Amino acid sequence: MEKRFDEKTKSALFEYVLRLADDNIIIGHRLSEWCGHAPMLEEDIALANIALDCIGQASALYSLAAKIDGAEKNEDDFVYFRNENQYKNLLLVEQPNTDFAYTVARQFFYDAFTIYFYDELSKTGLDPLAAILTKAVKEITYHLRHCKVWMLRLGDGTLESNQKLQSAVNDLWRFTGEMFFKDETDKFLFQQKLIPDSQQVKNKWNKLIEETFREAKIKVPNTLPNTAKGGRIGFHTEHLGHLLAEMQIVARSFPGAKW
Amino acid sequence: MEEKAANIGDKLWEVFVQSKQGAPHEHVGSVHAADSELALQNARDVYSRRSEAISIWVVPSDQITASAPSDKGPFFDPADDKIYRHPNFYKVPKGVRGF
């Protein structure tokens, strides 16, 4: 894809692909933190599976970003040797696991977004990005099914499980607007007809969220969904630094180490 | 409360996996889950991660009626010494497979 585009388009595409890769590596890492700690063995394996899918998607996207950039970089350079302000992920995905209800709500918001967003994006025919996203949609279909099951069971379960999920939803709600936020990069690529309009995705997302909330007996929070943003330009919440410290320590202490 | 929640999540399901079209569903193990949809998802995650399956059945373990180990004698021994019950006297024609 690198040959057809001028420098400006290439650099916008690089930025755009990097954002998608960052979303997936960060939420994948968050999920991997459950490994060995989930409420039951079966859920432990389920969360680790989803984590591995996300990390796999990130890996494919970083390879593509490196290709667009043309610099001699690999996936590890992006993941282990960039600082907090160089990460362009959504604030939603870096929020800590807190408890199982938080993890379920965070993943549900994210999957309900990526399932429609990646589908639209893959239709624009931007190969090989389209191929990576088409495969991702298949994986996300299962992630969403798994999270939705838990949204319904926690929301419509006991009084305690309903309260825990409601408080997770309330806390995470302000991060959801950022998924549909558009900056100069998005607007430029949209003008070039390389990416779709996010309004359609937003409508579908809203519909799925409302239906699920109703079924799960969860109330739509009365706070604005778009008060927290900045991830796309490298302004993060305090949680990302801690995540990166843990994720990067070995690679930075022993650069180039092989095992 | 804690105990109740643990009990609900502890329901046991037997998992049967079909590896290819036309093959029988074979028992591969069991999972814990609160209900059938979660049992199916757990079975998918635990037993088909390395593409071993094209179809999965889950069955509540308490719905299976099984013979007891002490039934072994009365149930199965009588077949041992009655050679005439086994169709060993027939020659199988060449070309017949999977007999």
Side-chain angles (χ1 to χ4, degrees):
Chain A
M1 69 198 272
E2 62 270 31
K3 278 182 195 144
R4 290 188 279 140
F5 302 117
D6 58 40
E7 282 306 313
K8 190 178 176 201
T9 313
K10 255 167 68 175
S11 103
L13 276 173
F14 170 72
E15 177 71 19
Y16 196 77
V17 171
L18 203 57
R19 292 173 180 183
L20 304 184
D22 287 350
D23 287 345
N24 283 303
I25 195 71
I26 299 299
I27 203 161
H29 185 82
R30 275 288 182 233
L31 288 171
S32 78
E33 291 172 358
W34 275 107
C35 196
H37 302 279
M40 59 200 284
L41 173 75
E42 286 81 352
E43 195 52 40
D44 202 287
I45 295 173
L47 292 172
N49 276 346
I50 299 177
L52 286 173
D53 284 347
C54 293
I55 292 167
Q57 290 166 21
S59 159
L61 290 164
Y62 283 127
S63 300
L64 178 59
K67 228 170 111 187
I68 297 171
D69 193 35
E72 292 274 310
K73 271 188 181 171
N74 63 24
E75 298 151 40
D76 285 359
D77 294 325
F78 287 119
V79 174
Y80 296 124
F81 297 98
R82 282 183 308 149
N83 294 331
E84 199 184 331
N85 58 3
Q86 295 168 301
Y87 265 83
K88 304 296 173 59
N89 57 279
L90 297 164
L91 300 180
L92 175 73
V93 300
E94 71 198 37
Q95 298 312 304
N97 289 334
T98 313
D99 61 21
F100 186 61
Y102 254 78
T103 305
V104 167
R106 186 186 62 206
Q107 194 67 31
F108 178 69
F109 287 153
Y110 181 68
D111 291 340
F113 166 63
T114 49
I115 196 161
Y116 300 129
F117 175 51
Y118 287 3
D119 185 49
E120 286 292 321
L121 197 48
S122 67
K123 284 183 203 155
T124 54
L126 251 186
D127 272 325
L129 179 62
I132 296 170
L133 297 181
T134 304
K135 181 170 172 279
V137 167
K138 215 185 270 183
E139 295 173 348
I140 296 163
T141 305
Y142 183 77
H143 303 170
L144 184 61
R145 176 170 167 174
H146 190 70
C147 292
K148 194 175 167 188
V149 150
W150 276 117
M151 288 291 290
L152 301 182
R153 277 151 185 76
L154 294 178
D156 195 12
T158 63
L159 183 63
E160 187 187 4
S161 71
N162 176 277
Q163 279 168 354
K164 286 198 166 178
L165 184 61
Q166 184 68 61
S167 102
V169 163
N170 292 350
D171 282 1
L172 293 170
W173 191 245
R174 66 200 163 105
F175 297 110
T176 57
E178 194 188 17
M179 297 189 287
F180 311 103
F181 167 75
K182 277 183 272 194
D183 75 349
E184 294 310 313
T185 303
D186 300 277
K187 286 175 190 157
F188 173 74
L189 290 173
F190 179 64
Q191 279 164 7
Q192 308 283 308
K193 298 193 169 49
L194 291 172
I195 61 168
D197 183 14
S198 58
Q199 190 56 41
Q200 224 180 346
V201 175
K202 192 176 180 180
N203 294 343
K204 288 183 182 171
W205 186 86
N206 275 332
K207 188 162 172 276
L208 180 59
I209 298 297
E210 276 167 26
E211 281 170 7
T212 309
F213 276 12
R214 203 177 312 125
E215 214 183 324
K217 302 194 165 65
I218 290 295
K219 294 185 212 73
V220 178
N222 51 16
T223 50
L224 285 174
N226 59 350
T227 45
K229 51 188 167 228
R232 292 304 191 212
I233 50 170
F235 291 161
H236 291 279
T237 59
E238 70 270 29
H239 307 294
L240 184 65
H242 295 278
L243 182 153
L244 291 183
E246 194 172 305
M247 187 169 83
Q248 297 177 334
I249 177 75
V250 175
R252 290 198 181 209
S253 307
F254 306 97
K258 290 201 166 27
W259 61 85
Chain B
M1 186 88 184
E2 288 264 331
E3 197 181 283
K4 197 181 146 211
N7 284 341
I8 293 167
D10 260 359
K11 190 169 171 181
L12 199 62
W13 304 74
E14 299 301 322
V15 180
F16 299 82
V17 161
Q18 187 184 34
S19 57
K20 56 175 196 266
Q21 203 78 43
H25 283 72
E26 285 177 8
H27 185 244
V28 289
S30 56
V31 290
H32 292 97
D35 55 49
S36 59
E37 171 64 21
L38 270 171
L40 197 59
Q41 293 190 11
N42 288 346
R44 178 265 189 195
D45 284 324
V46 176
Y47 294 109
S48 74
R49 293 184 287 164
R50 298 179 183 98
S51 52
E52 300 96 331
I54 60 159
S55 164
I56 299 176
W57 292 347
V58 287
V59 179
S61 303
D62 60 13
Q63 293 299 305
I64 292 179
T65 308
S67 62
S70 58
D71 291 334
K72 192 170 166 260
F75 265 49
F76 310 117
D77 281 358
D80 282 353
D81 59 353
K82 296 179 187 63
I83 192 74
Y84 48 85
R85 286 191 164 179
H86 301 265
N88 291 344
F89 311 104
Y90 305 100
K91 283 222 165 95
V92 179
K94 278 180 190 165
V96 175
R97 284 184 195 155
F99 185 65

